[in-house]
Amino acid sequence: MNHFKLIIYILIATNALFISAQNTINGSIKDTNNQPISGVNIILNTEPNIFSTTNLTGNFTLPNIPDGSYTLTISHIGFKTINDQITVNSNSTDFNFTLNTDILNLHTVVVTGNFAPKTQLESSTSVTTLNATSIKQVYPQGTANLLQNIPGTFTDASVGEVFTRVYTRGISAAAEDDMGWYYVSLQEDDLPVSLVQHSYYGPDLFHRVDLTTSRIEALRGGSASITAMNAPGGVYNFISRTTTEKLNGEIQLQNGVQGEGNPFYRADAVLGGGFGNNWFFNAGGHYRHNDGARNTDFTFSKGGQFKFDIKKENARGYFKLYGKYLNDYTNRYNGVAATNWNNPEAAFGQNFNATALLMPEFNAAIPDGRNLNSTNSFNPANGVHAKDLAFGFDLFQNLGNNWSVKNNMKFSAKNANWQTSISNAFVSISDFIPYFLVSNGNPFPVGEIVFKDANSGNVLARIDNSGIFSGDPSEYLTDGYLPNDAIMGTSTWYKDNDADEFMQQLTLRKEWTNHDLNFGFATGFSNTSVFTQGSFAFSTYENNPRMLQVTLENPGETVLALSDEFGVSNYGGLFFTNSRAKISQIAAFANDRWKLSDKLNLDLGLRYESITHKGSNDRYAPFTQDGGLDGDETTAYDNNILTPTGERDNFDYNYNYVSYSVGLNYKLTDDASLFGRLSQGNKAPELNYYFNNFANVPINQAGEVQEINQVEIGLKSALKNFSFTSTLFWSELKNIGVSNFEFDDESGSIFYTPIQFNSSRNLGLEWETSYNPIQYFTFRFNGVLQDPKATKWNIYDAGATVDADDDSTTNYSGNTLAFNPKLMFNLSAEYAKDKVSSFFKWKYTGKREGNIANAFQLDAYSVFDAGLGYKINKNISANLLVSNLFNSDGLANFFGANTFGANANGVTTEYINENPDASFIVVPILPRSTLLQLNYKF
């Protein structure tokens, strides 16, 4: 019994000694202004690592730490990382640190463009990081709008959140209008948002920014050739919140006013923390209701998304399950009419700040050309309904002996359904086009045309168009008239896109003393389909268009309906596409970071990519039947619907190429480095090559792979109060396929011209600086100065007819590339002290050529943004944001002459000289928007 008691006493004493050896580390993190910093990541290198984050008062706790020596890593974006050796025992458990500001994030670890994480100073790439503070300073008008703050990046978000354009360093030629992300990769957590692009189907459809995003890493050119899938121009990577041990989150309520008083409402929320046993989670999203920056009679955007991740950490790494559900409606604006080629002014009573010129809301049922027994609901208020359901799995593990593996994979099911207006050109009532397009001339209505307000039924005008064939104008027969004596040349644009996708990247890493080798493979598979149908629509040509019900009412004859009750005509007769494709992208890559000396590192990267496009286009022809689809001779609007013939044109092409990138980084000091990089990348065609260019003809040739060559040399420096990067760059783009969208007046058909293969180059200087002259002020200045040229450039002129006998080509070699300003910059001042913060930004976009002919220029413009914030208490803060403070009316884009089916390249110097008073279409930047934010952090 005594022996038993002795054993019990020994066990109790041993346990007491063990317990006494466990310590709780407490600490606080402050900035150089002695203000606490919340959300700081704390890592203690135990087995496994122990994590914590600071709370709203800057405090953290690490429990159950045995006596011993450890490395404590303290990091937060915007501050220099601390790696401190600490000794923990009963007399040493309190540790307090001050983080020094890293005003340009050069000491921040970046993952984009690097196979292994590196600080920006260590990398031989041009990367900009936008942290959560920078993101919150931007009015929430979409992904592209955020990226305007990044040097060397041209963005056009003038039409809204989607249908945007983003490109870098003049690598832009094919990135126009509905293919605006052609050369760059939009990513979420290191994987592309979408694998494929084609007309009206880009990655911005499926991406929204909210509180679940912690930062953005923007890579321009360089290593994108070897790190991105078919995107050599750059990578824009939106990175989600990291894990935290303690439960924390944020709620943000936003209420704003845009343009002429249009309301904006939005709610964001995010929550994260630990479950225990090294399990963590994050979840959040947003919902918004937005009437838009310009005037429409419907809600411009509504919907939201939900995102989550669940992460398990162990001694060797982690695995993470993540997902996203997006269900969102938004729209895109068309252009505005202008006159005066030298100093454009809004025409026809329109307004650069307020006019949307979109069809009003209505609900029509238009026959589906694929199955004439069914209809598609069409409501232009829907815009594009984007849905994305995605799930992914991310794994990282240390394998021992300096080996590690990372594998990130994602499945997604996407749908984008477009119901919107396409084109909004001026069409005179004396022009034969609107009458021809009722049913492509079958029949051609001649005589007394009656236009009624489709909503009220009131007769607006009665005209006689019988004189137009002899060159006489149409005549009004009553006192009623149509605004501007015209209708709007527009179409009901119905487009349904589906894509089921899988993508994955597996990377193995082996580290030696002087080598860091990363190699692996990436795969992507997409099964996609697209159906497009366009019908003509009658509406007034005025600021707020009204739909027109149109009839032919000749005396003594039966009334002939030229439109349905909503104003829709020529059901499905303008456009028809029914295509499908399977895409596979398989790449193998290797990159070695070779330490040549303590200061000099060499990056050698190689990527082999194989892309296969396999699919088909349906051939089509007009449905023919006496009386049209409904068999009624008194309805002309359904006489020309396009339907499949049963024949298909197949394509099956493979594109194989090798890309490489070589970089050098020379460490000048701990806070400065020189870098240089030479890259040769490739861009395989996107699906629009097959879908747009081979209507009712065999697809008898593969597309051309574009070649992108890039050279850059730069300097990075992070001093105490001043940080900067400056990069000289040269880029060359070859095999650029160019085709124009045109309308044949004689046949009423819409077609694309034969592809011309061209080349361009750009030379420029890119810079980014931050300066803290005194403790509470920061000045930021970034921009690009460049000289973009078309070194070889031909444009095909179809003579406005499908007939090739009158066709020609025009050589514009040596001209300046369109839509590339020679100077762009952002200049801002920021103030933050105690509870008050503020900023003021100036965004300058220089003069741009409106087309490759260099016949029309878009003038330079400036936009000023401002913000004011106040921290009410440790949990609650309020912010006021104003975008385009002075309501600047700069012009972002040019669509060509104000005629149905025109394009920008049709405007030559000769055309302007012959038509000095003609109107044309421009796209103004968005007007002033004001937003009040209320944030609650816990």
Side-chain angles (χ1 to χ4, degrees), residues 672-714:
S673 63
L674 282 168
F675 76 95
R677 185 169 285 273
L678 167 67
S679 302
Q680 193 270 305
N682 297 273
K683 172 65 183 178
E686 295 286 356
L687 293 178
N688 62 309
Y689 171 76
Y690 314 100
F691 295 166
N692 291 356
N693 297 304
F694 298 92
N696 278 352
V697 295
I699 306 171
N700 53 15
Q701 64 181 36
E704 290 289 330
V705 174
Q706 294 184 30
E707 181 180 317
I708 295 93
N709 299 308
Q710 300 181 79
V711 178
E712 56 188 313
I713 301 171

Side-chain angles (χ1 to χ4, degrees), residues 346-369:
F348 303 108
Q350 297 172 29
N351 184 296
F352 284 164
N353 284 323
T355 299
L357 219 60
L358 295 174
M359 288 188 290
E361 181 173 9
F362 62 86
N363 285 286
I366 300 175
D368 188 328

Side-chain angles (χ1 to χ4, degrees), residues 159 162-163 200 300 330-334 358 418 420-422:
V159 300
V162 298
F163 207 74
Y200 281 75
F300 194 77
T330 190
N331 220 311
R332 65 99 178 87
Y333 298 112
N334 285 321
L358 295 174
W418 281 93
T420 190
S421 312
I422 182 173

Side-chain angles (χ1 to χ4, degrees), residues 429-430 435 445-451 461-469 472-478 552-555:
I429 58 173
S430 298
Y435 313 112
V446 179
E448 294 190 15
I449 312 294
V450 179
F451 297 91
R462 182 184 292 266
I463 68 169
D464 181 359
N465 75 341
S466 57
I468 62 175
F469 293 104
D472 296 325
S474 295
E475 296 182 357
Y476 286 107
L477 301 177
T478 65
L552 175 66
E553 300 185 10
N554 286 325

Side-chain angles (χ1 to χ4, degrees), residues 291-471:
D291 277 8
R294 304 188 183 281
N295 296 338
T296 63
D297 75 334
F298 50 79
T299 300
F300 194 77
S301 302
K302 60 183 178 182
Q305 73 175 0
F306 173 76
K307 296 172 68 176
F308 77 92
D309 66 72
I310 299 173
K311 185 177 182 181
K312 168 66 175 178
E313 295 177 351
N314 57 32
R316 294 183 175 273
Y318 67 85
F319 62 84
K320 179 171 69 174
L321 175 69
Y322 59 92
K324 178 179 83 171
Y325 177 63
L326 171 73
N327 191 339
D328 188 76
Y329 291 84
T330 190
N331 220 311
R332 65 99 178 87
Y333 298 112
N334 285 321
V336 176
T339 53
N340 191 344
W341 295 102
N342 294 320
N343 184 24
E345 300 171 342
F348 303 108
Q350 297 172 29
N351 184 296
F352 284 164
N353 284 323
T355 299
L357 219 60
L358 295 174
M359 288 188 290
E361 181 173 9
F362 62 86
N363 285 286
I366 300 175
D368 188 328
R370 296 167 297 181
N371 179 4
L372 297 179
N373 295 317
S374 65
T375 60
N376 292 313
S377 175
F378 182 87
N379 185 345
N382 286 340
V384 58
H385 183 193
K387 294 189 288 186
D388 187 9
L389 180 63
F391 292 96
F393 181 79
D394 185 17
L395 167 74
F396 172 79
Q397 290 290 289
N398 285 311
L399 303 178
N401 196 28
N402 293 321
W403 281 91
S404 63
V405 61
K406 180 174 171 59
N407 194 17
N408 193 2
M409 62 181 68
K410 180 172 67 175
F411 301 85
S412 67
K414 295 178 168 65
N415 174 261
N417 180 265
W418 281 93
Q419 298 176 40
T420 190
S421 312
I422 182 173
S423 179
N424 58 359
F426 173 95
V427 180
S428 169
I429 58 173
S430 298
D431 196 323
F432 78 93
I433 290 177
Y435 313 112
F436 177 85
L437 287 180
V438 167
S439 55
N440 282 24
N442 180 32
F444 192 101
V446 179
E448 294 190 15
I449 312 294
V450 179
F451 297 91
K452 297 179 181 178
D453 185 316
N455 188 40
S456 67
N458 296 330
V459 175
L460 299 181
R462 182 184 292 266
I463 68 169
D464 181 359
N465 75 341
S466 57
I468 62 175
F469 293 104
S470 59

Side-chain angles (χ1 to χ4, degrees), residues 57-128:
T57 59
N59 296 318
F60 69 91
T61 300
L62 297 170
N64 302 323
I65 309 300
D67 289 353
S69 296
Y70 304 93
T71 299
L72 186 66
T73 301
I74 302 167
S75 62
H76 191 285
I77 190 167
F79 296 90
K80 295 181 179 180
T81 298
I82 293 176
N83 290 292
D84 196 34
Q85 300 297 317
I86 64 171
T87 299
V88 177
N89 54 51
S90 58
N91 297 318
S92 180
T93 58
D94 293 330
F95 299 93
N96 301 314
F97 297 92
T98 298
L99 291 183
N100 292 312
T101 303
D102 183 14
I103 54 177
L104 208 55
N105 300 309
L106 294 181
H107 286 278
T108 299
V109 171
V110 292
V111 296
T112 306
N114 300 303
F115 287 106
K118 302 179 184 69
T119 67
Q120 288 200 49
L121 279 171
E122 295 171 330
S123 71
S124 53
T125 57
S126 296
V127 179
T128 294

Side-chain angles (χ1 to χ4, degrees), residues 742-759:
E742 296 205 8
F743 173 68
D744 186 336
D745 290 350
E746 297 178 2
S747 67
S749 60
I750 294 171
F751 64 99
Y752 286 86
T753 59
I755 298 173
Q756 305 296 297
F757 291 100
N758 300 314
S759 59

